[in-house]
Amino acid sequence: MPASAPATAAADPSAGAAPGPSAADRVYRHVKEHVLGRRYEGGTLLTEGGLAAAVGVSRTPVREALLRLQAEGLLRLYPKKGALVLPVSAQEIADVVETRLLVEEFTVRRAVPAPPALLDRLEALLGEQRRHAAAGDAAAFSAADRAFHAEIVRGSGNAILSGLYDQLRDRQLRMGTALLHDRPDRAERSLAEHAGILAALRAGDADAAAAAVRAHAGRVGELVRGIGR
């Protein structure tokens, strides 16, 4: 009789599963989230040993993550000491505000007439902001705030400007969270200003939309420069 076929090996439940983030990626995300959310304030000195213990990894991936964050301008490394969280400088604030004004005012005009899908998305993001404001979640509010403006920029149809705007993301989130911590009343004012931008887009009034964006970004710039001093 022919030999019986060998038993089929039990299926490996992990076969084909997508690999999780690397240790360096986990450290990178941990530090970045804490810096942008101001849990690691500007001027804080982070140590490799402390971060390794916080994330549950060895020191080698910590070094790799810190090098990435230094390249992004969030940290400065000091050999044998650790990494300093860089404060937001007055020049950085001025540069970000100026770039925002140029990009947002131009693209909001290009977004008119706004398609229904864009208007619906903006309305949903405004609702998210209201919920985060009610919960007192400054970091989540800042993320929804930034997403609101990014949707308008994308709605202009200019992919190059959209890419340029995306490069400001981390700086905007960090400044927005700092502003809300220092000026909790700013959330309600921001909601009203965003509602005004949305109303102008719904009305198809490019001039009114541009004026609303200019006033909003200008006011944010004044307040952020105040806390950056």
Side-chain angles (χ1 to χ4, degrees), residues 157-173:
N158 188 316
I160 293 176
L161 280 179
S162 184
L164 171 63
Y165 193 78
D166 284 343
Q167 293 177 28
L168 300 177
R169 177 182 181 276
D170 291 343
R171 290 181 169 88
Q172 286 180 266
L173 291 177

Side-chain angles (χ1 to χ4, degrees), residues 58-215:
S58 68
R59 294 193 180 203
T60 300
V62 171
R63 296 188 193 102
E64 181 182 334
L66 294 181
L67 284 169
R68 289 171 62 186
L69 291 160
Q70 178 175 249
E72 293 179 11
L74 294 177
L75 307 175
R76 179 178 295 135
L77 299 186
Y78 290 93
K80 299 182 181 179
K81 292 184 179 180
L84 183 72
V85 179
L86 294 177
V88 179
S89 69
Q91 186 59 55
E92 181 181 3
I93 291 170
D95 291 348
V96 169
V97 170
E98 184 176 61
T99 305
R100 281 194 61 181
L101 280 167
L102 289 170
V103 174
E104 291 181 21
E105 189 174 346
F106 176 81
T107 55
V108 79
R109 287 183 177 276
R110 287 284 300 271
V112 176
L118 173 59
L119 296 174
D120 290 346
R121 177 63 178 150
L122 295 176
E123 188 66 60
L125 286 168
L126 197 54
E128 281 186 32
Q129 286 182 267
R130 291 191 181 102
R131 290 192 294 275
H132 296 318
D137 190 336
F141 183 93
S142 294
D145 182 303
R146 193 267 170 194
F148 181 93
H149 293 284
E151 282 294 330
I152 296 173
V153 173
R154 280 192 289 271
S156 72
N158 188 316
I160 293 176
L161 280 179
S162 184
L164 171 63
Y165 193 78
D166 284 343
Q167 293 177 28
L168 300 177
R169 177 182 181 276
D170 291 343
R171 290 181 169 88
Q172 286 180 266
L173 291 177
R174 193 177 181 198
M175 292 177 190
T177 302
L179 176 57
L180 290 171
H181 276 289
D182 283 40
R183 296 287 301 270
D185 60 314
R186 179 58 201 165
E188 287 303 318
R189 181 68 179 271
S190 181
L191 286 168
E193 291 169 358
H194 281 191
I197 294 169
L198 179 55
L201 286 171
R202 285 194 185 282
D205 190 334
D207 289 339
V213 164
R214 185 166 58 250

Side-chain angles (χ1 to χ4, degrees), residues 31-40 74-75 85 174:
V31 176
K32 191 165 189 174
E33 287 174 4
H34 280 61
V35 171
L36 297 182
R38 290 192 72 193
R39 284 165 292 196
Y40 292 157
L74 294 177
L75 307 175
V85 179
R174 193 177 181 198

